[in-house]
Amino acid sequence: MLKGVIIDDESKSRESLQILLQDFCKNVEIKALCQNVSEGLQAISEHRPDVVFLDIQMQRETGFDLLNRLKNIDFEVIFTTAYSEYAIKAFKFSAIDYLLKPIDIEELARALEKVEKKVNGNMSLRLEQLIQNLKPAVSPQYKLALPASDGLVFVKIDDILYCEASSNYTNIHTGDGKKHIVSRTLKEYDDLLGDHNFFRIHNSYLINMNAIKKYVRGDGGYVIMNNDVSLDVSKRKKEAFLGRLGH
């Protein structure tokens, strides 16, 4: 049985989440409902929870204020938020679980399943990267968390040359010659990386436009990346690709 704490300044949000957990997630026992950072810190110290459901924007302080006051984060954090799409992408990049209000039961169950399995490794490291990724997207420190067999690998966005579809997996090729195989589709990475000057030139390839060495004309043509790998550009994508290349 997982021990949980809910920290949210809205009483309705606290109570509705507790009811959802009681009715649909029998593997969690909520030990405390807290309305601010000080109450949350006390509950964490007293109950040593496995998981904390943490609101981001509270009246005077934020969920990050609470986390910054902790010397050691030895529990999982699931943020409850109404953040913008940009900020949500930062959560996804950092492999941090979040629940958009109003909370969906299936998403809640999936987040708790990850907590039970502890599939994402060091929470402090992920939170540190999340805070960095919440800064403007042009930051050279922006990193993407890639699932690995023993946890997560954080890769700088600028170090990714291209992503290659492989059924329901994606092979992510980086400038150091490594290939990271992750169990997510290429479409998911297209959604994440589109704002970072990546372009899907083919059903099978999503490329870093900053890592192109050369474009060779043809029906669709092909690009030569910085690692000298040649990738086809589909006829359907050619016009849009050349438009991006022109910019």
Side-chain angles (χ1 to χ4, degrees):
M1 177 73 73
L2 297 172
K3 294 184 294 183
V5 168
I6 297 173
I7 307 170
D8 194 313
D9 64 337
E10 297 180 354
S11 59
K12 288 184 178 179
S13 294
R14 294 193 301 271
E15 292 164 5
S16 63
L17 177 53
Q18 183 181 34
I19 291 169
L20 284 177
L21 291 165
Q22 288 174 344
D23 290 348
F24 300 100
C25 303
K26 305 296 186 182
N27 57 336
V28 183
E29 180 184 2
I30 296 301
K31 293 293 188 178
L33 299 179
C34 309
Q35 63 180 342
N36 54 44
V37 168
S38 60
E39 287 186 11
L41 289 169
Q42 184 176 345
I44 290 169
S45 175
E46 180 180 348
H47 298 291
R48 299 187 59 83
D50 301 297
V51 58
V52 171
F53 297 90
L54 182 60
D55 189 19
I56 294 177
Q57 292 293 347
M58 291 180 269
Q59 289 183 351
R60 296 180 181 177
E61 297 176 288
T62 71
F64 296 113
D65 292 325
L66 179 143
L67 296 171
N68 286 333
R69 294 186 194 176
L70 293 168
K71 292 182 179 179
N72 180 40
I73 301 173
D74 57 357
F75 51 84
E76 287 291 309
V77 179
I78 298 176
F79 285 101
T80 57
T81 177
Y83 254 29
S84 66
E85 178 59 24
Y86 160 67
I88 291 303
K89 284 190 175 183
F91 281 86
K92 291 180 179 178
F93 269 86
S94 311
I96 298 285
D97 280 311
Y98 64 94
L99 298 170
L100 284 177
K101 298 176 181 179
I103 292 171
D104 180 83
I105 296 169
E106 291 184 0
E107 292 179 358
L108 174 60
R110 280 196 293 270
L112 285 170
E113 184 179 354
K114 291 181 186 178
V115 172
E116 284 193 307
K117 294 180 178 179
K118 296 188 181 297
V119 295
N120 283 334
N122 190 301
M123 184 48 132
S124 295
L125 178 60
R126 283 180 283 145
L127 287 168
E128 179 183 338
Q129 195 55 56
L130 171 62
I131 291 169
Q132 183 65 50
N133 286 349
L134 283 169
K135 296 176 181 178
V138 294
S139 169
Q141 299 303 315
Y142 216 95
K143 291 182 180 179
L144 176 63
L146 303 178
S149 58
D150 56 351
L152 294 168
V153 176
F154 286 93
V155 175
K156 286 186 179 181
I157 302 304
D158 288 348
D159 290 343
I160 298 174
L161 301 180
Y162 65 95
C163 306
E164 177 188 16
S166 178
S167 186
N168 289 326
Y169 290 79
T170 299
N171 300 324
I172 296 181
H173 300 262
T174 51
D176 58 4
K178 293 181 180 179
K179 179 175 75 172
H180 303 274
I181 303 173
V182 294
S183 57
R184 291 182 178 175
T185 65
L186 189 62
K187 182 183 183 305
E188 291 181 72
Y189 287 108
D190 191 7
D191 292 339
L192 280 179
L193 296 169
D195 295 334
H196 295 264
N197 206 27
F198 279 69
F199 186 83
R200 192 163 181 176
I201 60 170
H202 190 281
N203 282 341
S204 297
Y205 305 119
L206 173 70
I207 67 168
N208 184 345
M209 297 291 285
N210 298 323
I212 299 173
K213 181 184 290 187
K214 184 178 181 180
Y215 169 68
V216 180
R217 292 188 180 91
D219 286 343
Y222 62 91
V223 293
I224 300 175
M225 305 303 292
N226 284 344
N227 60 349
D228 292 321
V229 170
S230 298
L231 304 173
D232 289 332
V233 179
S234 72
K235 294 180 183 179
R236 186 170 58 87
K237 297 282 189 176
K238 180 179 179 180
E239 184 177 349
F241 169 67
L242 291 178
R244 281 283 293 273
L245 205 58
H247 286 300

